[in-house]
Amino acid sequence: MMTNETNNQTNLKAIVMSGMRSTGSLHLGHYMGVLKNWVLLQHQHTCYFMVADWHALTTKYDDTAGIPNYRIETVLDWLAAGLDPEKCVIYIQSQIPEIAELHLLLSMMIPVKWLETDPTLKDMITLKKAGEAGAGEELNYGLLGYPVLQTADILTVGGSLVPVGKDQLAHLEISRDIARRFNHVVGQSVFHEPRPLLTETSLLLGLDGRKMSKSYNNTVFLKESEDETWLKVKTAITDANRLRKTDAGNPEACVAVFPWYQIFADKTEQATVAEECRAGTRGCMDCKKQLAERVNETMKPLRERRKLFEADLPAVDRILASGKEKAQHQAQQTLQQVRSVLNLN
Ligand code: TRP
Ligand code: SF4
């Protein structure tokens, strides 16, 4: 398998692995912040993109009825965004039992301390308390092991580059520690130490200026219609000091509309909007209307692609079956080597 020599080679040889928890439809923040980048990466690297349905259980274990739907919604959104199953491997975590086996074996070697101090874990517990949760508010074994499972995801397919957002950096650090620990324990270089791939992506805030999140109800979903998009954009928070259209506005103080222009419009349009806002010649409602048009233009090809796949779900099943086969082929090789170095063959 991979040794440290291959690890040192250029990025061209790097295997990219990333995933998303399947918790429902994806929003424009996912697209701008993550998916757009995945779509670019698939042309440059061998890429594995995994629907983390087991990870979704870490907070939704008592509500599994939605799992099949969440999975398919996630994959439809990926395909809509432009992931091409000819160019990357798209698969479902729970269909690769090798990941669970590796998770178990890795868990034997990991000090609980490494996991307890994970800041992402603390954030998740807070979110859970805020109502995103399944049942109780206690810390489950599975949630504690979240980064271990994530490490198993990456290592089973030989991932060495992991495109993630800043919020996942702490997890990646744990993954590196785990890979290093395993190699040290078995005295062989079995795994790469996966590196994060931080790309300059656009952080799209929610329509209320907070982090975009379904639980804040401040999102626009990828699959929403043009009318639904308008109705949502209409609720966006602007510059609170501006009461009348003729008041001079301040785009810097505009909570959500101007920041969205900075992502969806070109520089010229941004400049015009800012100028007219300052001069008091632009009403916030008109400004939002124009923004909704821009958003809808950007999303049009994605929404059209989504419709095509929605109308041909058997094709999506075939994509997932082929993804499973490719990911599992790699996973079986990895596990064979892992069992062998642990004398479990
Ligand atoms: N934890 C990631 C998130 O919440 C999802 C994820 C699961 C992941 N497995 C992964 C990301 C492996 C990168 C690599 O977004
Ligand atoms: Fe924001 Fe546009 Fe209103 Fe200015 S005119 S405050 S940029 S919505």
Side-chain angles (χ1 to χ4, degrees), residues 176-196:
R176 295 173 62 77
D177 289 343
I178 294 175
R180 196 177 308 131
R181 174 93 159 196
F182 184 94
N183 291 343
H184 176 76
V185 168
V186 302
Q188 288 185 48
S189 191
V190 175
F191 293 126
H192 290 296
E193 288 176 27
R195 285 182 293 132

Side-chain angles (χ1 to χ4, degrees), residues 17-21 38 50 52 55 93 124 146 149-151 153-154 162-164 167-168 171-172:
M17 193 280 151
S18 197
M20 262 187 216
R21 295 196 306 146
W38 286 11
M50 185 199 77
H55 274 111
Q93 183 181 39
M124 289 192 70
Y146 191 108
L149 183 55
Q150 181 160 331
T151 305
D153 295 334
I154 301 167
V162 186
V164 283
D167 62 319
Q168 293 287 317
H171 279 162
L172 245 286

Side-chain angles (χ1 to χ4, degrees), residues 224-231 292 296-297 299-300 303:
E224 279 183 301
S225 70
E226 303 202 339
D227 290 344
E228 286 165 326
T229 302
W230 160 235
L231 288 178
N296 282 331
E297 268 164 26
M299 299 318 288
K300 193 162 189 242
R303 288 167 173 164

Side-chain angles (χ1 to χ4, degrees), residues 288-303:
K288 290 177 184 180
K289 201 149 219 155
Q290 187 180 330
L291 173 63
E293 278 166 25
R294 217 52 76 234
V295 171
N296 282 331
E297 268 164 26
T298 311
M299 299 318 288
K300 193 162 189 242
L302 284 81
R303 288 167 173 164

